[in-house]
Amino acid sequence: MNTTRRKFLLGVSAAGLGTMALGYLKTFKYLFTFGRRGPKPRFPIYGNVHLPELLKAKAPTNENGNYIVNKDYYYANTVCIGCTTQCGVRIKVDKKTGKVVRVFGNPYNLLSSDPWLDYDKPVKESIFWVSDINESGLTNRSTVCARGNVVFDKLYTRYRVTKPLKRVGPRGSHKWVEIEPEQLIQEIVNGGNLFGEGFVEGLKSIRDINTPIDPNNPEYGPKSNQLGILGTNDDGRKTFIVHRFVKAFGTVNFSGHTSMCGLAMRIGQAAYFGDFKKLPHAKPDFDNTEYILSIGTAPAQAGNPFKRQGKLLARARTEGPLKKIVVVTPTAVNTDNMSIGAKYEWVPVYPGQDLAFVMGLFRYIIENNLYNAPYLSIPSEKAMKAANEVSYTNATHLVIQDQGEDYGKILKDQNGDPYVIDAASNSLQNAKNVRTAVLLVNQQVSLNGKTYHVKSAFELLKEAAFEHSLDEYSQMCGVPKETIVRIAKEFTSYGRKATTDIHGGAMNTVGMYAAYAVAMLGAMVGNLNYKGGMSVHPGPYDAYKGPVYDLLDYDGKVKTHGVRIDRAGFKYQDTTEYKTKKAQGLNPYPAKDKWYPFSNAIESDWIASSAHGYPYSLKALITVNSNPAYAQSGFSNVIEYLKDPKKIPLFIAIDPFINETSTYADYILPDNVLYEEWGAMAPWGAYLTKITTIRYPAIESPNAKFKNGESIYAESFFIELGKALNLPGFGDNALKGADGKTYPLHRPHDFYLRAFENLAMQDTPVPDATDEDIELAGLTNWVPLLKSINGNNWRKVATIMSRGGRYAPYNTAYDGEHLNFKYKKMLNIYNEELGSTKDAITGQYYHGLPKYIEGPICADGSSLWTKVDKNQYSLIAFGYKSNVLSSPNASSDKLRDIKLSTYIDINSKTAKEFGIEYGNLVKVSNPFGQHIIGIVRVKEGITPGTIGIEHGLGRLAEGADTIYINNKKLPAMPLRQTGVNINMLGIQDPARPKGHVLTDFVTGATARNTIPVKIEKIRSLA
Ligand code: SF4
């Protein structure tokens, strides 16, 4: 730099500083001197920053580079619930204040680390392992994502509920009074005129496990089913809540959050894996796959496990064998990275039209014989073993086509063994006796004197795929035909190392079939159980039914039965309603409303079903951290029912915050938050080795306490409530040991510390924790309790707690070229259960395998476009997951500091068409009168003709509204209202009773990704 220019710049700076200094004199004074009110900060430059985890030792230690662990803190391994991934994390807690000051990954836990640390390494070593010493932490990274780094600030928000609240005034009037927990329990158990609005029935009288709800429909079950308990994702506490309370009370009505999250995907995969009960879920083996086709989800942007997938993908595409990842979504995502060039491809698709894209792939693959015919021709497990294969399908099994009661069933003998056409003899044979069966069959066969018209499952798939031309599929999904052809060729060229994934994108009216189709692509290459192929995870170590205790069993546990409030898991054809109509010679179709035989729970149907009394009405609702009013598409259609105590007379919300749903509750019971909670859980998928992550109150809860000294939270409440109701399974002798002895359940630790003991003692028991492990993990104060509950095993339980769970080593992942844990059931090219069941409304058989259905469709099978003017509502709105925000984190202000708002995303072509520019304020409306107002973000990375909204903001509660507690005002924080919520646009299904939202027509999953909308400019904000 020449000296004249340098002097000029210095001059400008000095002059500028001088002018600024006049205005910011006070700030400068504080900046340079830290001379503010209050004590002098610890460091002149860094202020009161916390010291690092490792400190240089004053005297040489001759180990670890002369560094020692900073013992002003303890380092507890627990779980992040920043999103549904539930990563094992490590928290650094200031011993003086008891407050969390930092969150890291847990080096032992594969959700945060890969490689992960050997289980028998001491806690001290785990701290050095991820440190800067010898740059060890560069190799052994243990991370938390942006969200997981900061959400712990919600532990300390002023909007937290710490004492039980009772509403004052009508539901939703935001006025509360604090009450003692004992009063709450007394009132909800016994009922009475609780709100001056008339008598409210208490839980004691609702718990009648013998009297039918409706004697005319005995299959509905006992009156106790009129209590519904609505949870959220399984945060490790579901087993306690379900087995210790729900089943003790005797209700069938428990639900998580699946119908507003990924139900369509789960049932679609379950159809392929042939298990609608356990809902197996497959993921690519990221470490060894060579090609990933990701449809309606994208690693590093969304999906579960969010952080682990992102990490594995980053490694696979740089150091690993991954040649390419193709993401088929309506919006471009964070899976992309400039440095990986052609290894990534984004294929824009119309929302809800993934099915057309995949059926196009099937058409090309089948037409051009690109499928693995020898694999698909294997008809049985015996033939699979003979062929040295590790999975097999029913592609060659024969589906009866004759109309009548056998329609859609697979031709089988009296033992249930299927028949196939043997390729060697061209004759009908039992599959178990055949090595290779004919793949394409469409013929008559004779069996036991009867003739059947049968088609093989693969023939049916071919016919379904050939229903439309590639040009038609291309037009429907918006993906050029050449791209469909190229991807079909690419995918099949990688053989067993080609993999697929799908998740939230399937939340549309035909999403189940899209998910089924995506999973079935794997059968075209035979990738299941192969290294580099698709994996169904090996599951957890069992915490609850283990070598030391059976924590699920107790005397008097109710065998719950009856129809659920959401009509899930039950066939309409088994109801009295159906049978009565049949007996009267009437057409039994349509039923009064939808039934969902393949789904296990559909919480989005609860409120409207109860309001309409079909199948019956709930008398009481308990929500546990659940927030459908924010998270469920179209919930605004049922708010009036939730507000009305006549619809559900008693509503208790267990919630650490007053969210969009609990704001309408009669009572709010505080819950614990994040690292204050108990739990034991397994990851969602994308892991090949056994793992159970645990959490325990690693920091103290600020909540008020019960008289026995236990803080008030979900489990402690259910124990006290169970005792007050005299339910089985609580109090003395409630827990069963494998030694035949019984143990008490008075406090949650009675249950969870024994669950941890089960974990510690199964297979080869874990090593004992050392005194140093215990000290560093902050477990010193736990020792007396561990000794009293776990006896001689107490140090092993301390090991489980100090490592945050139990984890198998990486070397248990593979068995040569196969996965060690193999999914064993037959894969379903045709799902017989699905294909031989009729829809309760249309009376039509469900398709037993994927085929193109044009969405969006209503519950009666009609196109939504027959009720909506397509010219006026020409855009399709969809939601997409945020890589930063997530719905349970409204109370994290730090998270909002990272991402302040969400926007209405449109393509530049769409913007031009509607005369809209970047930054305009616009109104987006659906055809049924609901709208949102937000700011437009114009971007190229979104399919033209669509509107995308990132999920996570647009809040109406949890500090976004003003509330009054004990007449004291807690004012709203306007910043908490930023952004828009796609779910406010969710629509009522015009073919269903009021309040029921548009859903996937088979599973009942809410269809939040295919909402017809229009957009209007309000004004420019420039
Ligand atoms: S992905 Fe991030 S927010 Fe989600 S659990 Fe893991 S660390 Fe927490």
Side-chain angles (χ1 to χ4, degrees):
M1 187 186 288
N2 74 45
T3 45
T4 319
R5 179 170 154 71
R6 186 161 179 275
K7 274 182 194 159
F8 170 75
L9 287 176
L10 282 173
V12 169
S13 304
L17 277 174
T19 316
M20 277 167 59
L22 288 175
Y24 294 97
L25 207 54
K26 269 189 180 168
T27 312
F28 271 106
K29 191 176 131 205
Y30 294 142
L31 182 65
F32 290 118
T33 64
F34 283 95
R36 55 183 181 171
R37 282 181 212 102
K40 198 175 158 199
R42 199 166 179 188
F43 304 104
I45 294 180
Y46 300 114
N48 284 323
V49 67
H50 286 276
L51 286 178
E53 299 71 54
L54 296 176
L55 302 172
K56 198 80 183 166
K58 290 199 176 105
T61 61
N62 292 329
E63 55 172 345
N64 297 317
N66 292 329
Y67 281 87
I68 54 169
V69 177
N70 182 350
K71 292 191 180 173
D72 287 344
Y73 304 90
Y74 64 86
Y75 309 92
N77 287 318
T78 173
V79 178
C80 174
I81 309 281
C83 73
T84 55
T85 298
Q86 302 163 349
C87 296
V89 294
R90 169 169 288 173
I91 55 171
K92 175 178 172 181
V93 183
D94 186 337
K95 284 182 182 166
K96 280 200 203 87
T97 62
K99 291 203 164 178
V100 179
V101 298
R102 192 182 166 194
V103 182
F104 331 70
N106 171 357
Y108 296 102
N109 188 294
L110 61 81
L111 284 169
S112 291
S113 308
D114 197 315
W116 55 99
L117 185 61
D118 289 348
Y119 197 78
D120 55 5
K121 299 290 183 199
V123 172
K124 181 174 159 190
E125 187 170 333
S126 76
I127 297 171
F128 281 89
W129 198 65
V130 289
S131 76
D132 189 37
I133 317 285
N134 301 324
E135 299 201 329
S136 172
L138 286 181
T139 319
N140 307 312
R141 283 181 191 279
S142 189
T143 54
V144 273
C145 72
R147 186 167 46 222
N149 256 299
V150 298
V151 289
F152 69 88
D153 70 331
K154 71 182 183 181
L155 288 163
Y156 310 116
T157 175
R158 66 189 163 125
Y159 294 99
R160 195 165 162 184
V161 176
T162 56
K163 290 186 181 149
L165 302 176
K166 179 178 178 179
R167 74 174 157 96
V168 180
R171 280 188 185 167
S173 53
H174 303 310
K175 292 191 178 124
W176 305 91
V177 63
E178 287 176 344
I179 58 171
E180 294 302 320
E182 291 77 15
Q183 181 190 339
L184 186 152
I185 287 177
Q186 192 281 121
E187 290 188 7
I188 66 173
V189 166
N190 298 312
N193 186 1
L194 305 174
F195 305 98
E197 297 164 353
F199 180 77
V200 180
E201 192 173 345
L203 294 176
K204 198 198 283 174
S205 115
I206 295 171
R207 202 232 174 211
D208 177 346
I209 57 172
N210 298 312
T211 311
I213 297 172
D214 180 351
N216 294 325
N217 296 283
E219 72 275 13
Y220 291 0
K223 285 188 165 180
S224 51
N225 285 344
Q226 288 178 290
L227 167 66
I229 297 163
L230 196 52
T232 175
N233 67 299
D234 182 7
D235 58 2
R237 307 192 291 171
K238 183 175 144 188
T239 302
F240 180 92
I241 294 169
V242 171
H243 285 273
R244 301 306 311 194
F245 184 78
V246 176
K247 287 186 183 284
F249 191 91
T251 174
V252 289
N253 285 312
F254 175 85
S255 181
H257 78 160
T258 185
S259 81
M260 52 187 109
C261 182
L263 181 66
M265 176 278 291
R266 299 220 69 179
I267 303 297
Q269 290 217 359
Y272 176 62
F273 287 108
D275 191 342
F276 290 116
K277 288 277 171 281
K278 291 193 182 146
L279 309 181
H281 179 58
K283 283 278 185 186
D285 168 15
F286 282 92
D287 270 351
N288 292 290
T289 187
E290 293 181 0
Y291 189 90
I292 303 174
L293 181 55
S294 196
I295 300 175
T297 188
Q301 175 74 38
N304 198 340
F306 164 68
K307 188 180 71 187
R308 175 166 167 82
Q309 283 189 159
K311 187 182 199 115
L312 294 182
L313 177 70
R315 188 165 68 196
R317 70 193 184 188
T318 48
E319 304 161 18
L322 186 72
K323 303 289 186 302
K324 191 167 182 184
I325 175 162
V326 178
V327 173
V328 185
T329 48
T331 185
V333 290
N334 286 309
T335 309
D336 195 5
N337 187 309
M338 299 286 276
S339 64
I340 59 165
K343 280 189 176 179
Y344 172 79
E345 180 181 0
W346 172 50
V347 178
V349 66
Y350 292 140
Q353 294 296 338
D354 323 61
L355 186 53
F357 171 73
V358 184
M359 293 312 293
L361 294 180
F362 274 122
R363 168 145 199 158
Y364 190 83
I365 289 168
I366 295 173
E367 203 164 19
N368 294 279
N369 297 319
L370 296 178
Y371 52 89
N372 187 337
Y375 166 76
L376 288 165
S377 304
I378 296 171
S380 66
E381 190 181 345
K382 203 169 152 197
M384 173 192 86
K385 286 181 179 155
N388 283 326
E389 274 293 353
V390 280
S391 71
Y392 74 106
T393 75
N394 68 359
T396 56
H397 296 189
L398 305 172
V399 185
I400 298 168
Q401 301 297 300
D402 308 286
Q403 290 302 318
E405 60 178 22
D406 287 335
Y407 177 83
K409 299 215 169 113
I410 286 178
L411 192 67
K412 294 176 188 161
D413 66 15
Q414 64 276 21
N415 299 320
D417 286 329
Y419 288 102
V420 293
I421 303 294
D422 177 19
S425 63
N426 201 26
S427 61
L428 190 70
Q429 300 287 341
N430 258 144
K432 64 184 177 192
N433 300 325
V434 172
R435 288 286 174 91
T436 302
V438 178
L439 204 44
L440 288 164
V441 179
N442 180 3
Q443 66 181 70
Q444 307 281 333
V445 293
S446 296
L447 188 68
N448 303 328
K450 210 170 160 187
T451 303
Y452 297 91
H453 177 202
V454 293
K455 290 180 180 178
S456 63
F458 198 70
E459 168 69 24
L460 289 171
L461 178 64
K462 180 182 174 185
E463 289 178 10
F466 280 47
E467 276 186 13
H468 298 281
S469 68
L470 282 183
D471 287 312
E472 286 169 339
Y473 285 130
S474 165
Q475 204 182 11
M476 292 159 188
C477 67
V479 179
K481 179 179 160 186
E482 302 69 41
T483 307
I484 297 175
V485 168
R486 178 173 50 76
I487 290 175
K489 286 183 188 166
E490 280 178 9
F491 179 79
T492 48
S493 73
Y494 287 95
R496 317 286 193 168
K497 296 200 184 237
T499 52
T500 58
D501 199 8
I502 183 165
H503 207 134
M507 296 299 279
N508 62 69
T509 60
V510 295
M512 190 286 284
Y513 282 111
Y516 189 4
V518 171
M520 200 189 289
L521 279 173
M524 298 302 105
V525 293
N527 60 10
L528 185 70
N529 296 331
Y530 268 85
K531 190 175 186 177
M534 293 299 287
S535 69
V536 176
H537 59 73
Y541 293 93
D542 196 340
Y544 304 109
K545 212 173 160 100
V548 200
Y549 307 98
D550 181 351
L551 299 171
L552 306 181
D553 188 31
Y554 48 91
D555 297 339
K557 191 175 182 183
V558 181
K559 280 199 171 67
T560 54
H561 64 97
V563 169
R564 291 172 53 89
I565 185 71
D566 47 26
R567 299 171 305 282
F570 205 95
K571 283 189 180 170
Y572 167 58
Q573 292 77 10
D574 293 334
T575 62
T576 307
E577 179 187 344
Y578 173 88
K579 289 175 189 163
T580 308
K581 282 185 190 168
K582 280 286 271 186
Q584 291 170 347
L586 300 171
N587 180 358
Y589 301 101
K592 286 185 200 154
D593 197 5
K594 291 286 287 184
W595 290 72
Y596 305 100
F598 307 106
S599 301
N600 50 10
I602 304 162
E603 67 284 357
S604 42
D605 250 41
W606 280 33
I607 308 297
S609 293
S610 179
H612 298 306
Y614 184 65
Y616 47 84
S617 295
L618 292 177
K619 288 185 171 172
L621 174 69
I622 301 177
T623 57
V624 188
N625 281 242
S626 178
N627 192 6
Y630 176 74
Q632 179 187 315
S633 179
F635 195 86
S636 57
N637 292 293
V638 290
I639 287 283
E640 62 179 280
Y641 297 147
L642 197 59
K643 275 169 121 169
D644 182 356
K646 290 194 191 71
K647 301 295 182 199
I648 300 178
L650 184 60
F651 175 14
I652 304 126
I654 302 173
D655 202 336
F657 309 104
I658 304 178
N659 68 27
E660 285 83 349
T661 306
S662 49
T663 201
Y664 297 107
D666 297 323
Y667 299 91
I668 299 181
L669 185 107
D671 201 4
N672 278 345
V673 176
L674 289 169
Y675 327 119
E676 299 159 3
E677 296 176 339
W678 293 97
M681 64 271 269
W684 174 265
Y687 64 101
L688 307 175
T689 51
K690 265 171 95 170
I691 164 174
T692 297
T693 313
I694 63 110
R695 57 195 186 132
Y696 58 93
I699 51 172
E700 202 173 322
S701 165
N703 291 355
K705 291 182 169 40
F706 284 108
K707 286 203 172 117
N708 65 4
E710 187 72 42
S711 303
I712 303 169
Y713 53 97
E715 291 99 319
S716 58
F717 165 69
F718 281 125
I719 291 173
E720 296 306 315
L721 182 59
K723 286 186 188 176
L725 285 166
N726 260 328
L727 297 184
F730 294 97
D732 296 335
N733 306 315
L735 303 173
K736 287 189 175 178
D739 55 5
K741 289 185 187 159
T742 55
Y743 302 89
L745 175 55
H746 291 295
R747 295 174 68 166
H749 59 234
D750 292 327
F751 178 86
Y752 284 108
L753 289 179
R754 290 185 170 89
F756 299 168
E757 194 175 338
N758 272 338
L759 288 177
M761 299 308 292
Q762 67 196 258
D763 300 344
T764 306
V766 301
D768 285 352
T770 62
D771 288 345
E772 189 177 49
D773 286 340
I774 288 166
E775 184 194 5
L776 292 176
L779 295 171
T780 308
N781 292 338
W782 284 82
V783 172
L785 185 63
L786 292 177
K787 284 181 177 169
S788 78
I789 289 190
N790 305 112
N792 291 339
N793 296 330
W794 77 269
R795 278 190 185 272
K796 296 194 186 303
V797 175
T799 296
I800 295 287
M801 292 167 79
S802 68
R803 270 70 163 172
R806 184 154 185 199
Y807 324 104
Y810 185 79
N811 63 17
T812 57
Y814 297 105
D815 167 19
E817 279 311 296
H818 303 140
L819 304 181
N820 208 358
F821 175 82
K822 298 175 188 70
Y823 184 77
K824 296 212 166 72
K825 283 189 170 181
M826 177 186 74
L827 301 175
N828 287 241
I829 301 298
Y830 175 84
N831 188 296
E832 182 183 23
E833 217 181 328
L834 185 62
S836 58
T837 302
K838 284 183 176 174
D839 181 277
I841 301 293
T842 64
Q844 302 291 313
Y845 283 107
Y846 292 116
H847 307 295
L849 75 180
K851 67 176 243 162
Y852 180 70
I853 302 160
E854 188 186 356
I857 59 169
C858 304
D860 61 2
S862 64
S863 168
L864 185 66
W865 298 121
T866 60
K867 281 107 180 158
V868 170
D869 180 356
K870 203 171 185 175
N871 292 322
Q872 205 188 347
Y873 295 93
S874 59
L875 301 173
I876 296 288
F878 66 94
Y880 66 95
K881 268 220 173 142
S882 172
N883 62 339
V884 175
L885 305 164
S886 69
S887 55
N889 293 312
S891 292
S892 171
D893 295 318
K894 281 189 187 165
L895 196 63
R896 199 171 288 92
D897 289 346
I898 298 174
K899 191 157 239 178
L900 180 66
S901 190
T902 53
Y903 304 92
I904 290 165
D905 294 344
I906 56 174
N907 186 280
S908 61
K909 226 170 125 188
T910 314
K912 206 168 161 197
E913 192 185 329
F914 288 88
I916 286 166
E917 290 172 349
Y918 194 100
N920 283 176
L921 191 70
V922 296
K923 178 178 176 185
V924 177
S925 320
N926 73 20
F928 300 95
Q930 287 114 338
H931 69 266
I932 55 171
I933 289 174
I935 297 169
V936 158
R937 190 164 62 173
V938 178
K939 60 185 204 180
E940 299 312 313
I942 182 166
T943 307
T946 70
I947 285 180
I949 295 174
E950 183 176 4
H951 190 54
L953 292 179
R955 307 304 302 236
L956 301 174
E958 282 200 57
D961 57 355
T962 296
I963 56 168
Y964 296 83
I965 297 178
N966 297 340
N967 260 330
K968 209 172 142 207
K969 185 175 176 181
L970 189 55
M973 229 173 110
L975 259 187
R976 290 205 176 173
Q977 300 162 355
T978 58
V980 279
N981 178 9
I982 178 82
N983 292 327
M984 300 303 286
L985 289 173
I987 58 179
Q988 145 93 42
D989 185 334
R992 292 188 67 189
K994 186 170 163 16
H996 284 292
V997 296
L998 200 67
T999 60
D1000 171 64
F1001 81 102
V1002 183
T1003 66
T1006 57
R1008 64 163 183 267
N1009 288 328
T1010 41
I1011 304 167
V1013 292
K1014 65 179 180 183
I1015 188 168
E1016 297 156 284
K1017 177 175 166 178
I1018 297 176
R1019 64 173 189 273
S1020 165
L1021 293 178

